[in-house]
Amino acid sequence: ALNFDIPLHKVADRRYCLELYHGPTLAFKDVGARFMARMLGYFNAQDSDKRPVNVLVATSGDTGSAVANGFLGVDGVHVYVLYPKGKVSHIQESQFTTLGRNITAVEVDGTFDDCQALVKKAFMDEQLNAHMKLTSANSINIARFLPQMFYYFYAYAQLAAAGKEDLSQIVFAVPSGNFGNLTAGLIAKRMGLPIKRFIAANNSNDVVYEYLETGKYNPRPSIQTIANAMDVGDPSNFARILDLYGCSWENIKRDISGVTYSDAQIGETLASTFKTENYLLDPHGAVGYRAISECLADDEVGICLETAHPAKFKETVDSLTGGDVAIPERLKAFMEGEKKSVQMLPSFREFKDFLMME
């Protein structure tokens, strides 16, 4: 599953980026999706119920492509990728709408939160579950985000091997949307990895930032930004964070601080880092990198999770840097395929009827 490297790149003094985009779809979701696909394929083959298992996945960008490619051709598994119409990049969309075979793309005329709500309702519907075997590949499925703990340990190991930093002062800045990535890091810390603290780095979708500041959680409709994979207004993993800390705001605050940045701030960070450090971030990584640039104490070492290849957001990145980011051959192959998707309103009745006919 993990047949690609996850290098830790030093960008500036005490600032590092953990490059999570060297997998097949050039995004961090490859780690969880490839691991889960092989696990699910194995256990489904052992199941006495020989019906195919149907994976429902909502995506705001990279989850869909990683899951679709992770499960492509896996025997006994069919994947339905639900994504918000017009709210993912062209390259992201190409990575799950051109595959065919056991992958079906469902283009929902709504937001990511609408897509996620359809998936959650499907799992709660008795008639639908009697009709077909259902599971999820979103981080609401623990098998998707548990493998994400691996790279927190791997980042620490790389820093330790270099022998140049104080390992007791490591701070992870995590670009946060649905909060699965941060939850994996928190569990890694609970397991014994000596991470000093975390920064939950948000775009304008600041529901959890507001909670960290006030202790009040007020979910609301998501706002579209240039860091689109983080456009989530009611992150499903927030419940896991609450549970991990016994619903104690004070305990959560000890380990997690929050920041929120506008599109203008994200763009400024991406452009200035490329100009001054000759390092090209994607918009999501730029959120995390700005956090470690602004929020580290003098003795702390910051690691930003760089979650996707900049070429996946070519138009945005090129406009901010004035450059022409090269598109890797793996991405070009997706873009040459024919798009096929099922158009749908954000109606559970319509979604259920569609699945019942499958």
Side-chain angles (χ1 to χ4, degrees):
L2 304 179
N3 58 353
F4 51 91
D5 196 16
I6 304 174
L8 186 68
H9 182 91
K10 185 172 184 177
V11 181
D13 183 41
R14 295 182 296 109
R15 295 182 214 162
Y16 296 80
C17 283
L18 185 65
E19 295 181 349
L20 299 168
Y21 56 73
H22 293 279
T25 72
L26 289 84
F28 80 99
K29 302 289 178 67
D30 284 324
V31 175
R34 288 172 67 78
F35 182 89
M36 181 189 172
R38 283 146 185 78
M39 293 290 279
L40 186 59
Y42 173 82
F43 284 112
N44 194 49
Q46 318 302 314
D47 195 347
S48 58
D49 182 349
K50 295 302 180 183
R51 292 180 301 163
V53 62
N54 297 276
V55 177
L56 306 183
V57 57
T59 185
S60 56
D62 289 328
T63 295
S65 55
V67 169
N69 284 272
F71 281 93
L72 183 65
V74 174
D75 289 340
V77 180
H78 194 102
V79 177
Y80 297 88
V81 180
L82 286 74
Y83 71 103
K85 183 177 182 177
K87 294 182 173 65
V88 302
S89 76
H90 171 61
I91 292 176
Q92 287 174 322
E93 186 179 39
S94 298
Q95 288 184 300
F96 53 80
T97 60
T98 61
L99 299 175
R101 297 169 67 184
N102 61 326
I103 311 297
T104 300
V106 180
E107 191 172 2
V108 178
D109 191 3
T111 66
F112 168 75
D113 294 312
D114 293 325
C115 297
Q116 186 160 259
L118 291 176
V119 170
K120 288 182 177 180
K121 287 178 182 176
F123 293 135
M124 300 300 290
D125 189 280
E126 291 184 10
Q127 185 183 15
L128 195 54
N129 279 269
H131 175 71
M132 61 200 311
K133 286 169 68 176
L134 294 177
T135 189
S136 172
N138 281 84
S139 53
I140 55 176
N141 189 321
I142 198 167
R144 227 295 306 285
F145 83 80
L146 282 179
Q148 292 173 225
M149 289 189 296
F150 299 165
Y151 49 72
Y152 285 95
F153 286 90
Y154 188 48
Y156 182 92
Q158 291 180 74
L159 209 58
K164 296 178 180 179
E165 304 287 4
D166 184 347
L167 300 179
S168 69
Q169 298 296 318
I170 296 175
V171 176
F172 275 94
V174 185
S176 299
N178 212 22
F179 279 78
N181 223 345
L182 180 59
T183 304
L186 294 171
I187 295 175
K189 178 178 171 66
R190 184 67 61 89
M191 289 173 67
L193 187 65
I195 300 169
K196 182 179 179 182
R197 64 187 182 91
F198 295 86
I199 305 171
N202 299 267
N203 58 19
S204 297
N205 294 278
D206 58 357
V207 172
V208 176
Y209 169 78
E210 183 181 272
Y211 168 81
L212 291 168
E213 293 293 304
T214 67
K216 297 179 180 177
Y217 183 69
N218 298 304
R220 46 188 171 267
S222 58
I223 301 165
Q224 190 169 358
T225 75
I226 61 171
N228 66 287
M230 295 157 57
D231 293 348
V232 183
D234 186 10
S236 61
N237 287 292
F238 181 69
R240 285 196 171 115
I241 295 173
L242 284 177
D243 188 71
L244 195 62
Y245 287 90
C247 295
S248 168
W249 178 65
E250 291 80 8
N251 290 342
I252 290 173
K253 287 278 288 180
R254 289 192 189 101
D255 281 350
I256 312 169
S257 61
V259 291
T260 176
Y261 297 123
S262 65
D263 275 2
Q265 290 173 306
I266 296 168
E268 190 277 327
T269 301
L270 195 154
S272 64
T273 305
F274 181 63
K275 182 178 180 180
T276 61
E277 309 294 349
N278 196 32
Y279 187 77
L280 189 58
L281 297 156
D282 90 293
H284 308 81
V287 178
Y289 191 74
R290 188 174 183 114
I292 59 172
S293 299
E294 294 182 346
C295 303
L296 290 184
D298 290 342
D299 59 345
E300 290 180 331
V301 180
I303 299 177
C304 153
L305 299 191
E306 173 54 304
T307 55
H309 194 288
K312 298 191 80 170
F313 311 92
K314 179 174 172 57
E315 292 180 6
T316 298
V317 172
D318 285 352
S319 68
L320 290 167
T321 63
D324 183 14
V325 58
I327 300 177
E329 289 300 321
R330 281 173 288 173
L331 286 186
K332 286 182 182 178
F334 291 115
M335 296 171 70
E336 292 168 357
E338 179 186 355
K339 173 185 172 180
K340 294 181 180 179
S341 67
V342 177
Q343 305 280 322
M344 193 170 294
L345 294 171
S347 158
F348 180 65
R349 180 180 294 276
E350 185 177 348
F351 181 50
K352 178 181 176 179
D353 288 346
F354 167 72
L355 290 178
M356 292 293 287
M357 290 187 296
E358 289 290 289

